Amino acid sequence: MFSLFTRHRPTTALINGVSVGVDPKETLLQAALRHGIDFPHSCRVGGCASCKCKLVSGSVRELTETGYILSDEELDAGYILACQSVPRGDVHIEVDLARQPSRRQVRGKVVAQDRLTHDITRLVIQLEKSLAYRAGQYADLSLDSLPQLRRSFSFASPAQPDAQVSFFVRRVPGGVFTGVVNDRPLLGHGVTVEGPLGDFHLRSADAPLLLIAGGSGLAPLLAMLQGAMANGASRPATLLFGARQARDLYALGDISAIATQWHGSFSFVPVLSEAAADAAWQGERGLVTAQIPALLPPGAHAYLCGPPAMIDSAITLLREAGVPREHIHADRFTTLQDVLPTSA
């Protein structure tokens, strides 16, 4: 007998032999973590490959393009990113659970809170203990005044001997955490920093660098450049920085110091996408990615950080220009909505 009402059989993921139920529209990573499996992961947005696993059987719907993260060999072998894979039915995957990156929580206090633009604040934290990390990685922050909220931000400076760390925090409309950081005085307030997280960092090479930042995505690229400069890097470097208006440009003093002290050629190109409101602006206008064809040096390695649309556009242009997948490194910035628990 035909019925207008059908029951969908629950989807099951077999993870290293452990059966896990997967809710509709849930990714493999979300399901694994919900069931208490210590699945290797970091960025959760398909930018670091920490959650890569082998799809033994079944099929998945991929939320984003993963070809620039996984190698051709890995793709041919059936590897996928768990954070970007929604099962189309029952699946069987295998993952090396020993790859979970080591991280730790360190307490600290806010020692500086500097307004960089109308919606970005630099937060400087003095940690009680040093935290080893690579420039380009990120950490999860929680304020003592908002213990129920934890948000991820890239380190905006390389690791320092004095155990100070800094972050660029952009105000998100309706965001409780970012609103507090941008609008309330926090000097002396306690903070918990958990990390390091992510696989976005500068690889050793002599190839020219093309770095592209959008908005607060400038933070990890600045840290990379400062760290490389301190280590005497001399490879040619070009930094493209996309912003809406002139008032959204920031850290220009830091960039100027890098340009002056860099041991090789260094070029900085700011690009405004809404420059019509800035009649006095004499620099580049339009989308920052439109500058790639003209400024891409032969044999360059690219490092990208910003909103997903910018990252995807840049990757397409770089691949069309012949940049190998393994020489493109990206960190997508995404926005999470703050949801505070309600009292019973």
Side-chain angles (χ1 to χ4, degrees):
M1 179 178 178
F2 177 77
S3 173
L4 292 176
F5 301 96
T6 58
R7 292 185 178 181
H8 297 281
R9 186 170 61 86
T11 300
T12 299
L14 197 64
I15 304 176
N16 289 4
V18 177
S19 183
V20 169
V22 185
D23 292 337
K25 299 183 179 180
E26 191 174 36
T27 66
L28 287 170
L29 177 62
Q30 290 169 335
L33 296 178
R34 182 168 56 81
H35 284 81
I37 296 177
D38 192 19
F39 204 105
H41 70 282
S42 184
C43 73
R44 301 196 188 202
V45 293
C48 70
S50 296
C51 67
K52 69 179 179 181
C53 55
K54 186 174 183 179
L55 182 63
V56 179
S57 64
S59 65
V60 298
R61 176 172 62 88
E62 293 186 317
L63 302 180
T64 60
E65 169 61 39
T66 60
Y68 73 96
I69 289 291
L70 300 175
S71 67
D72 290 334
E73 292 76 13
E74 289 172 328
L75 292 171
D76 291 341
Y79 278 89
I80 58 174
L81 299 182
C83 73
Q84 298 299 301
S85 298
V86 177
R88 297 184 185 275
D90 291 348
V91 296
H92 176 196
I93 64 173
E94 293 178 351
V95 59
D96 181 5
L97 296 178
R99 289 191 294 105
Q100 180 68 289
S102 61
R103 64 180 81 175
R104 63 192 185 101
Q105 291 186 347
V106 181
R107 293 283 299 155
K109 289 187 177 181
V110 177
V111 295
Q113 185 181 12
D114 307 316
R115 178 60 59 85
L116 299 179
T117 71
H118 69 286
D119 64 352
I120 296 179
T121 292
R122 186 201 315 258
L123 200 66
V124 182
I125 300 168
Q126 178 63 60
L127 299 178
E128 295 177 354
K129 299 178 181 179
S130 61
L131 182 64
Y133 64 89
R134 291 177 172 178
Q137 291 185 294
Y138 69 94
D140 286 342
L141 272 61
S142 59
L143 302 171
D144 285 0
S145 57
L146 291 172
Q148 66 272 55
L149 291 181
R150 185 174 64 175
R151 289 292 173 260
S152 302
F153 300 97
S154 295
F155 292 100
S157 57
Q160 303 294 321
D162 60 2
Q164 277 195 6
V165 293
S166 60
F167 305 90
F168 296 162
V169 180
R170 182 181 67 85
R171 181 193 288 108
V172 175
V176 177
F177 188 103
T178 61
V180 167
V181 172
N182 277 273
D183 299 332
R184 299 183 188 176
L186 293 177
L187 291 182
H189 283 227
V191 184
T192 298
V193 178
E194 181 177 352
L197 300 166
D199 192 39
F200 189 57
H201 62 86
L202 191 63
R203 273 64 174 179
S204 296
D206 295 324
L209 288 170
L210 178 65
L211 307 102
I212 308 175
S216 57
L218 181 63
L221 300 185
L222 270 184
M224 285 183 185
L225 288 169
Q226 291 170 341
M229 183 176 64
N231 291 326
S234 59
R235 52 201 297 194
T238 299
L239 173 61
L240 285 170
F241 181 22
R244 289 187 177 89
Q245 301 178 20
R247 68 170 186 165
D248 298 312
L249 296 173
Y250 64 95
L252 299 182
D254 295 326
I255 297 172
S256 178
I258 292 172
T260 300
Q261 301 172 40
W262 194 258
H263 296 288
S265 62
F266 184 90
S267 176
F268 171 54
V269 182
V271 184
L272 302 186
S273 61
E274 299 177 3
D278 298 288
W281 177 252
Q282 299 298 313
E284 300 293 339
R285 301 170 182 262
L287 297 178
V288 65
T289 52
Q291 301 295 320
I292 291 176
L295 297 178
L296 179 65
H301 292 187
Y303 291 82
L304 324 168
C305 190
M310 185 207 83
I311 297 294
D312 293 341
S313 175
I315 290 172
T316 298
L317 289 168
L318 290 166
R319 296 291 288 129
E320 289 176 350
V323 180
R325 169 184 297 115
E326 61 269 22
H327 293 161
I328 302 174
H329 308 279
D331 187 6
R332 285 179 170 87
F333 270 24
T334 58
T335 299
L336 293 178
Q337 182 179 5
D338 290 337
V339 179
L340 295 175
T342 58
S343 56

